[in-house]
Amino acid sequence: MTKSFPEVDVVIVGMGWCGGILAKELSESGMKVVGLERGATRTVENDFSVPHIRDELEYHARTGLAQNLKKETWTVRNQISETALPMRKYGSFIPGDGLGGSGVHWNGQTWRWTDMEFKIKSNYVERYGQKFIPEDMTIQDWGITYAELEPYYDHFEKIAAVSGVAGNLNGQIRNEGNPFEAPRKNQYPLPPLKQSLACDLFTKAAKDLGYHPFPIATANASAAYKNPDGIQFGQCQYCGFCEKFGCESNAKGSPLNTVIPVAMRQPTFELRTNSWVTKVLMSKDKKQATGVNYLNTVTGEECFQAAKIVILAAFGLNNTQLMLTSGIGSVYDPVSQKGLIGKNYAYQTGANANLFFKDKIFNPFMSAGGLITVMDDFHANWDFDRSPQNFIGGATIWGGFFNGRPLEYHPTPPGTPSWGSAWKESMATWYQKTMRIAANGSVMPNRYNYLDLDSTYKNAAGTPLMRMTFDYKPNEHRLSTFAAGLIDQIGKSLNPTMMTKPAPRVTPWNAAVYQSTHNTGGTIMGTNPSNSVVNKNCQSWDLHNLFILGSSVFPHNSAYNPTGLLGALSYRTADIIKTIYQKNPGKLIT
């Protein structure tokens, strides 16, 4: 028998960055909010203390902060003609689990997506013509603008203690930052992290070649800091345990040490962990959401939480799965190209090379998730002519490294045996003397890259696994090849003792190899109900009291990391719910 709870104003599915922001903002406004998190409760004090949090076996090898693949995974394939099989071991991407979600184990790199992304189809058609866009590439304008998001970007950066330097401050280009970024009204809350030798070498090489490198903006606090909500941050200790780990010094911006604790102070907010949402329920006329069903994973009890507003704020892939299992909207069909739920799944591409120097000492154990120098000359720079390379999108190129952790970081030159005494000797020789140059590349949507439900496999809750059909297409092959050439050019200019060849990603996508955690698409944003699942306010066209927050609303994937945009969208949506939707509930916000 299902246990029912009294109706509340808002129920939020997922308590990472998006869910935490919505919970904090809406409960502070007086709305009664219930936050449902599938994973367990955790706190910074109890779970991120040393030495436990530096357990590489637990958090790297066994992905201790990630979703349990024995309970929930995905089936994957490259082509429609193939049989999809479950992903049994983490490789390609690592979604978070537990309170705080992926926002706990992220690196902190924070970007502002701009109108170049939001008006992508219009921009490319205007400059290159309609024929430049491949027939099977389903790009579209998002319907939102950078100007609408700018104040919310600014607020998120202040909340997350982002360290960086502006490149475009109120229209004034500043050489120390990214000259291709959109104009900012305020400087970053904190200055950049101290740059390493690897960052300095990359900076000099890129500048000598005429490029514009800068220290990446990152939610790793470069100094002690108090954010607008009164949350105190410690200073980054450059311990090198960022991605896949929680932060021992409270220096990494995370929903677990910012918005969630503030939400939990509110008498109008209730958090329920170990609550696995399995379905969004609808009214008989299917015009509004009435609440969600969830499984209490501790007691096994089936529960129903009624709500006036339902917000899906889980990991992007899980948002799409919930829409599919709930029967909301039309399921995308890649053959007919009809339907929308599951459409425009995208990932990221790239390339990389290791550089070995006999006469350099890099001290890789002193690092941070955002301790890299990056250049944006071939992504946000609209003056960069794509026509000779014939691709849509772009890539950021960076130099440095994120960590030198002993179980994970084993750089060795080409030709080194993969085990044994020769491998040990090579690792000991080159551990301190290696740096990396790499590219993060965008991926454009394709009609044959999509998400749907698997007809064979189910998760521990008894609902179908989501099936991912994805492969890199010729557009991304050309982009990755171009990025590999840039890496090769910059790397060779540094005259390393040895260097690995930067290989472009032109072979079929392999889910067993880590490339990026940045999955997008499935419940995409757009300008009207015929081309999108949600409008620019992240509001469902079909059920006006349903809002979706997460990377599932991105119609394509950028070279940029998604978290800065997710934060801005979440703050904007919360503002709209408080100031507009509440005055006329149940109506579409235009």
Side-chain angles (χ1 to χ4, degrees):
M1 184 174 179
T2 301
K3 180 179 181 179
S4 295
F5 290 89
E7 185 181 61
V8 294
D9 294 314
V10 184
V11 63
I12 301 172
V13 181
M15 289 300 294
W17 266 123
C18 297
I21 290 170
L22 269 296
K24 182 259 181 187
E25 292 295 309
L26 298 182
S27 63
E28 277 188 340
S29 74
M31 300 175 75
K32 190 168 184 179
V33 180
V34 168
L36 301 175
E37 167 56 48
R38 177 168 61 181
T41 300
R42 64 166 68 102
T43 65
V44 173
E45 296 82 1
N46 294 332
D47 296 280
F48 297 161
S49 60
V50 290
H52 170 71
I53 195 55
R54 292 195 185 184
D55 186 343
E56 279 192 82
L57 186 62
E58 171 68 17
Y59 295 111
H60 163 59
R62 296 173 180 166
T63 56
L65 295 178
Q67 186 173 296
N68 188 340
L69 295 181
K70 294 180 180 179
K71 297 180 179 180
E72 174 75 289
T73 185
W74 301 268
T75 63
V76 296
R77 63 184 181 179
N78 293 128
Q79 308 294 338
I80 295 176
S81 59
E82 298 172 349
T83 299
L85 296 174
M87 189 172 79
R88 302 290 191 184
K89 183 179 179 181
Y90 275 118
S92 186
F93 54 91
I94 308 175
D97 184 63
L99 191 62
S102 297
V104 169
H105 72 71
W106 73 312
N107 255 343
Q109 297 170 23
T110 308
W111 294 89
R112 291 187 175 195
W113 296 35
T114 72
D115 285 336
M116 185 176 178
E117 312 282 359
F118 305 141
K119 301 174 183 177
I120 186 167
K121 185 172 184 179
S122 298
N123 285 336
Y124 276 89
V125 169
E126 180 180 355
R127 178 163 184 180
Y128 300 103
Q130 179 66 45
K131 292 183 178 180
F132 193 74
I133 301 174
E135 289 185 3
D136 59 355
M137 184 183 290
T138 53
I139 58 172
Q140 65 186 48
D141 291 353
W142 294 35
I144 200 166
T145 66
Y146 174 80
E148 291 174 295
L149 286 169
E150 200 282 335
Y152 301 104
Y153 278 129
D154 182 76
H155 187 63
F156 176 73
E157 290 162 1
K158 290 181 170 67
I159 293 296
V162 175
S163 302
V165 58
N168 185 340
L169 192 57
N170 293 306
Q172 181 182 359
I173 303 302
R174 303 162 62 93
N175 293 331
E176 60 268 32
N178 182 5
F180 308 112
E181 70 176 356
R184 308 167 46 89
K185 290 185 179 177
N186 295 305
Q187 183 58 270
Y188 284 100
L190 291 166
L193 295 176
K194 294 179 180 179
Q195 299 297 279
S196 66
L197 173 60
C199 293
D200 291 342
L201 289 176
F202 178 84
T203 297
K204 183 179 186 308
K207 285 185 175 180
D208 288 348
L209 290 167
Y211 304 136
H212 302 82
F214 57 94
I216 197 169
T218 182
N220 309 118
S222 60
Y225 172 75
K226 182 182 287 187
N227 80 4
D229 290 330
I231 299 297
Q232 186 68 51
F233 285 76
Q235 183 178 18
C236 178
Q237 301 299 300
Y238 302 89
C239 69
F241 284 76
C242 279
E243 79 280 3
K244 305 174 190 165
F245 297 82
C247 183
E248 66 199 52
S249 57
N250 217 41
K252 181 168 66 174
S254 157
L256 194 61
N257 69 336
T258 56
V259 289
I260 291 175
V262 178
M264 293 179 69
R265 298 173 193 163
Q266 308 305 316
T268 52
F269 176 67
E270 179 185 355
L271 172 67
R272 296 180 201 155
T273 53
N274 301 301
S275 300
W276 187 346
V277 177
T278 56
K279 191 175 184 179
V280 178
L281 275 70
M282 294 179 281
S283 58
K284 290 183 178 180
D285 61 6
K286 295 188 176 182
K287 290 186 177 180
Q288 66 175 353
T290 58
V292 298
N293 279 348
Y294 69 92
L295 174 69
N296 183 318
T297 59
V298 175
T299 65
E301 194 172 31
E302 296 280 352
C303 303
F304 171 69
Q305 177 60 65
K308 297 174 184 176
I309 298 173
V310 174
I311 298 175
L312 303 186
F315 189 69
L317 294 174
N318 297 336
N319 284 341
T320 302
Q321 184 180 26
L322 262 178
M323 293 290 282
L324 290 167
T325 56
S326 302
I328 302 172
S330 54
V331 180
Y332 175 69
D333 176 13
V335 178
S336 67
Q337 296 193 74
K338 294 181 179 179
L340 290 165
I341 307 296
K343 183 180 179 181
N344 280 27
Y345 171 72
Y347 190 52
Q348 282 181 323
T349 188
N352 63 76
N354 284 334
L355 283 65
F356 303 87
F357 298 85
K358 284 186 176 180
D359 59 344
K360 302 284 192 300
I361 298 295
F362 291 105
N363 294 328
F365 48 85
M366 293 190 293
S367 192
L371 191 58
I372 59 174
T373 300
V374 64
M375 66 187 209
D376 209 7
D377 298 66
F378 301 99
H379 176 249
N381 180 11
W382 192 233
D383 289 334
F384 162 52
D385 185 7
R386 273 83 167 166
S387 54
Q389 286 75 32
N390 191 27
F391 61 71
I392 291 174
T396 58
I397 314 294
W398 58 265
F401 37 73
F402 304 134
N403 74 83
R405 299 189 290 265
L407 294 186
E408 183 175 355
Y409 184 70
H410 304 140
T412 54
T416 302
S418 58
W419 64 282
S421 58
W423 173 78
K424 292 178 182 178
E425 182 180 352
S426 180
M427 186 184 70
T429 298
W430 296 108
Y431 172 81
Q432 289 257 53
K433 300 178 180 181
T434 308
M435 65 170 283
R436 171 165 288 195
I437 300 178
N440 290 343
S442 60
V443 167
M444 295 301 112
N446 184 279
R447 64 179 290 187
Y448 296 111
N449 288 338
Y450 68 103
L451 306 169
D452 66 351
L453 295 179
D454 194 278
S455 59
T456 303
Y457 298 96
K458 295 184 178 181
N459 59 27
T463 56
L465 297 185
M466 194 162 65
R467 179 170 59 184
M468 304 173 62
T469 303
F470 175 77
D471 204 358
Y472 294 121
K473 303 303 180 184
N475 182 79
E476 283 64 54
H477 293 169
R478 293 189 290 269
L479 170 56
S480 183
T481 300
F482 176 74
L486 290 169
I487 294 169
D488 192 58
Q489 177 196 37
I490 298 170
K492 287 179 177 177
S493 75
L494 285 169
N495 297 313
T497 306
M498 286 176 285
M499 176 177 166
T500 57
K501 183 175 177 59
R505 294 178 188 168
V506 295
T507 56
W509 171 69
N510 184 353
V513 180
Y514 181 78
Q515 294 140 81
S516 164
T517 293
H518 308 144
N519 302 269
T520 60
T523 65
I524 59 177
M525 177 186 295
T527 55
N528 61 74
S530 68
N531 69 8
S532 53
V533 177
V534 298
N535 61 19
K536 70 176 183 177
N537 305 309
C538 297
Q539 180 185 29
S540 166
W541 295 107
D542 293 325
L543 309 176
H544 297 166
N545 68 331
L546 173 67
F547 293 81
I548 305 176
L549 275 302
S551 60
S552 61
V553 306
F554 297 4
H556 72 276
N557 208 347
S558 170
Y560 289 164
N561 298 36
T563 310
L565 176 55
L566 292 177
L569 286 171
S570 298
Y571 276 113
R572 182 176 182 275
T573 300
D575 201 16
I576 285 172
I577 291 174
K578 291 186 295 183
T579 60
I580 300 176
Y581 183 84
Q582 278 296 87
K583 294 178 182 178
N584 200 4
K587 301 298 181 181
L588 184 69
I589 308 166
T590 57

